[in-house]
């Protein structure tokens, strides 16, 4: 090895890039607070069972993507691949069922062993919301509205589009499942290995497949919409009316599904065509069966997760940072004084950099490179007189300012 490299699929976020990520997370937190979501931070490590149960052993995430290991004490743990399972686990282990309805949001790194490419990493960041304890469709409308407002505030709404669909209630899904299985049995030779396994264990999961052969078979598969009972249709109609009332535009995509048993009714995605094939920026839906499937009390839920890395790819440039003041001390006495002056400037809110090394010209170059507005030049002569030379780097002019007036002058 020629030197230490980051693990494949992980990245260092430095300077402006890091600022973009923070900006997204901070903006999301502010908007979600407007909706009354409270922040929850769950551990990055969970017992593997938390994900095996919630995501299902036939899911791509569980079968191929989890970072699973046995720790030194012999426990099977997993680096979280997504946020919902941990929140559901916390809901149960912390007894949060006392406080329904609950509106929670989270944000932080997730880990999936995937093939790295633009918009797809092995360590990536998500933020997301979970609204627990409400079976009313108004909750679905509210979480979609929150997602939409986050995108609008980030000024990426014109780059994204909302797709919605319904997978109905248990009765509708059962009717659909039978029809889907009958259809897929007729094309089993064209299905991928994975999907053949799923056909027995969890056929709805096949709908999520990205395998091209599977997708070709699915093109002519029966549509969910033909199997929806009255109640499921009414739920979906109400969702659409609610979105329209709030001025949120959407398209119905009958192929959009979630293949896990605990999902029901609403599924949605915000996609973009600005970053190639990794096009989903936010994905969500209703998961009324999830918490019960983990051993908790029956608790309806609806939520979504957003991919921060993908949003960072389409986020417009951020407003420039305030231009700093550069202090340029010359000589040891001035160097000692510099931090004291910097302290006074910072105390009144001025971004201040102290040049540490090199001669005058080297330090001035650094001030230029920082995009400094002012250079405060301080040598032995200035110190003796109790002044500094203040150079206006945009105008090129210079004036002598008493140290006692410095903060007032620069403010
Ligand atoms: P995809 O279809 O792109 O694989 P997914 O269905 O696996 O996405 P979810 O589990 O629904 O994604 O996660 C929600 C969001 O998190 C995605 O819409 C995406 O923006 C982001 N995301 C998921 N996996 C990754 C990854 N490996 N790298 C970066 N972002 C990701
Ligand atoms: Mg994926």
């Amino acid at each position: 090895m020629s030197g230490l490299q980051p693990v494949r699929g992980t990245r260092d976020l430095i300077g402006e890039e890091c600022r973009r990520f923070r900006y997204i997370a901070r903006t999301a937190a502010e908007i979600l607070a407007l909706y009354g979501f409270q922040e929850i931070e769950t551990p990055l490590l969970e017992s593997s069972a938390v994900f095996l149960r919630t995501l299902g052993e036939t899911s791509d995430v569980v079968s191929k993507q989890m970072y699973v290991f046995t720790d030194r004490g012999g426990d099977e743990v997993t680096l979280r691949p997504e946020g919902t399972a941990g929140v559901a686990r916390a809901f149960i282990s912390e007894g949060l069922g006392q406080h329904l309805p609950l509106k929670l949001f989270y944000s932080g790194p997730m880990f999936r062993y995937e093939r790295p490419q633009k918009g797809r990493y092995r360590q990536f960041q998500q933020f997301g919301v979970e609204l627990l304890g409400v079976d009313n469709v108004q909750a679905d409308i509210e979480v979609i509205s929150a997602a939409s407002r986050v995108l609008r505030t980030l000024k990426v709404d014109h780059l994204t589009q909302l797709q919605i669909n319904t997978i109905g209630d248990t009765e509708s899904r059962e009717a659909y499942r039978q029809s889907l299985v009958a259809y897929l049995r007729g094309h089993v030779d064209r299905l991928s290995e994975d999907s053949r396994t799923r056909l027995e264990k969890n056929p709805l999961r096949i709908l999520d497949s990205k395998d091209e052969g599977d997708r070709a078979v699915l093109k002519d598969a029966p549509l969910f919409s033909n199997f929806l009972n009255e109640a499921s249709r009414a739920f979906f109609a109400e969702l659409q009316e609610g979105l329209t009332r709030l001025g949120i535009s959407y398209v119905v995509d009958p192929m959009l599904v979630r293949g896990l048993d605990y999902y029901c009714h609403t599924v949605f995605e915000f996609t973009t065509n600005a970053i190639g094939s990794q096009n989903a920026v936010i994905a969500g839906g209703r998961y009324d069966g999830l918490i019960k499937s983990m051993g908790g009390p029956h608790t309806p839920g609806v939520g979504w997760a957003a991919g921060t890395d993908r949003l960072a790819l389409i986020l417009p440039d951020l407003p420039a940072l305030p231009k700093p003041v550069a202090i340029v001390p010359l000589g040891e006495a001035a160097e000692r004084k510099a931090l004291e002056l910097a302290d006074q400037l910072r105390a009144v809110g001025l971004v201040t950099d102290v040049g540490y090394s090199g001669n005058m010209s080297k330090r001035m170059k650094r001030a230029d490179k920082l995009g400094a507005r002012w250079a405060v030049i301080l040598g032995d002569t200035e110190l003796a007189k109790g002044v500094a030379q203040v150079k206006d780097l945009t105008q090129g002019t210079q004036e002598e300012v008493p140290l006692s007036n410095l903060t007032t002058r620069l403010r």
Side-chain angles (χ1 to χ4, degrees):
M1 208 195 298
S2 63
L4 294 176
Q5 297 294 319
V7 170
R8 191 163 136 77
T10 71
R11 301 184 291 162
D12 301 300
L13 301 175
I14 303 170
E16 190 60 19
E17 180 86 45
C18 202
R19 186 159 81 102
R20 291 165 68 79
F21 273 68
R22 292 287 173 272
Y23 174 80
I24 293 170
R26 186 159 31 85
T27 304
E30 278 166 17
I31 298 301
L32 296 173
L34 293 177
Y35 285 77
F37 288 96
Q38 287 188 344
E39 188 160 10
I40 178 169
E41 190 168 314
T42 64
L44 302 195
L45 275 179
E46 294 278 357
S47 301
S48 298
V50 168
F51 305 107
L52 293 179
R53 290 223 212 134
T54 54
L55 302 175
E57 54 179 303
T58 57
S59 69
D60 273 356
V61 172
V62 168
S63 61
K64 299 180 193 149
Q65 300 177 347
M66 290 207 316
Y67 279 90
V68 186
F69 60 97
T70 308
D71 71 14
R72 287 165 193 275
D75 289 333
E76 273 259 314
V77 295
T78 294
L79 280 172
R80 65 180 188 191
E82 54 98 42
T84 305
V87 171
R89 194 271 310 140
F91 178 87
I92 297 167
S93 57
E94 307 290 337
L96 301 180
Q98 314 290 324
H99 311 283
L100 294 176
L102 254 183
K103 295 164 93 172
L104 301 170
F105 85 89
Y106 60 84
S107 137
M110 306 293 165
F111 304 83
R112 296 185 194 177
Y113 192 82
E114 299 200 69
R115 193 169 72 77
Q117 52 202 290
K118 189 176 184 190
R120 191 176 293 286
Y121 310 96
R122 290 182 176 174
Q123 177 175 336
F124 58 100
Q125 298 189 24
Q126 285 185 338
F127 59 89
V129 305
E130 319 291 353
L131 201 170
L132 300 170
V134 182
D135 54 17
N136 188 320
V137 64
Q138 300 307 325
D140 308 50
I141 299 168
E142 190 179 27
V143 298
I144 293 176
S145 152
S148 161
R149 186 174 294 282
V150 169
L151 295 175
R152 222 177 322 149
T153 311
L154 292 173
K155 301 197 172 68
V156 297
D157 49 324
H158 62 292
L159 296 172
T160 60
Q161 198 186 33
L162 170 61
Q163 275 102 32
I164 62 171
N165 195 28
T166 178
I167 55 173
D169 59 12
T170 315
E171 183 186 87
S172 307
R173 272 201 315 289
E174 192 42 50
Y176 178 67
R177 186 200 314 270
Q178 284 173 19
S179 160
L180 179 70
V181 169
Y183 169 81
L184 291 175
R185 287 239 161 87
H187 299 275
V188 78
D189 47 318
R190 291 166 61 204
L191 290 179
S192 68
E193 186 85 30
D194 280 347
S195 288
R196 270 179 241 168
T197 318
R198 290 172 184 144
L199 191 53
E200 306 309 322
K201 290 188 175 168
N202 188 354
L204 291 188
R205 189 78 230 187
I206 297 173
L207 298 168
D208 283 343
S209 173
K210 292 196 177 119
D211 178 87
E212 275 183 30
D214 291 347
R215 299 249 46 107
V217 174
L218 289 169
K219 259 203 196 93
D220 300 315
L223 282 180
F224 234 128
S225 50
N226 297 329
F227 296 84
L228 295 173
N229 60 19
E230 199 44 44
S232 300
R233 279 178 207 282
F235 194 96
F236 193 43
E238 182 85 23
L239 175 78
Q240 296 181 60
E241 277 164 37
L243 293 176
T244 304
R245 262 199 309 279
L246 292 176
I248 298 169
S249 51
Y250 61 86
V251 293
V252 175
D253 175 359
M255 295 297 284
L256 182 63
V257 288
R258 292 270 183 283
L260 287 175
D261 282 343
Y262 56 79
Y263 282 113
C264 58
H265 292 296
T266 312
V267 287
F268 61 92
E269 243 171 46
F270 286 85
T271 56
T272 178
N273 41 32
I275 42 176
S277 54
Q278 312 329 313
N279 60 1
V281 291
I282 296 184
R286 180 166 274 282
Y287 48 82
D288 291 352
L290 172 66
I291 289 180
K292 191 155 186 204
S293 79
M294 293 178 77
H298 170 75
T299 311
V302 57
W304 48 257
T308 309
D309 302 68
R310 292 185 195 174
L311 289 171
L313 286 169
I314 60 172
L315 186 75
D317 285 345
L318 295 181
L321 289 169
K323 292 185 162 193
V325 176
I327 298 186
V328 181
L330 301 166
E332 275 179 31
E335 273 169 3
R336 274 195 292 275
K337 182 76 181 169
L339 284 183
E340 215 181 288
L341 281 183
D343 214 39
Q344 289 165 15
L345 299 179
R346 290 165 182 158
V348 298
L350 290 165
V351 179
T352 308
D353 179 80
V354 178
Y356 274 115
S357 60
N359 55 22
M360 169 89 167
S361 102
K362 212 165 162 198
R363 291 187 198 202
M364 288 304 285
K365 268 204 196 108
R366 175 175 166 87
D368 255 351
K369 214 168 130 197
L370 291 171
R373 172 83 176 80
W374 308 96
V376 176
I377 301 157
L378 198 64
D380 290 338
T381 336
E382 283 78 17
L383 266 187
K385 281 170 73 183
V387 300
Q389 302 298 332
V390 173
K391 187 163 183 184
D392 181 331
L393 293 175
T394 42
Q395 313 276 341
T397 54
Q398 187 166 318
E399 63 185 294
E400 194 172 278
V401 178
L403 291 182
S404 54
N405 283 355
L406 198 60
T407 43
T408 331
R409 176 67 190 88
L410 293 180
R411 249 201 315 185

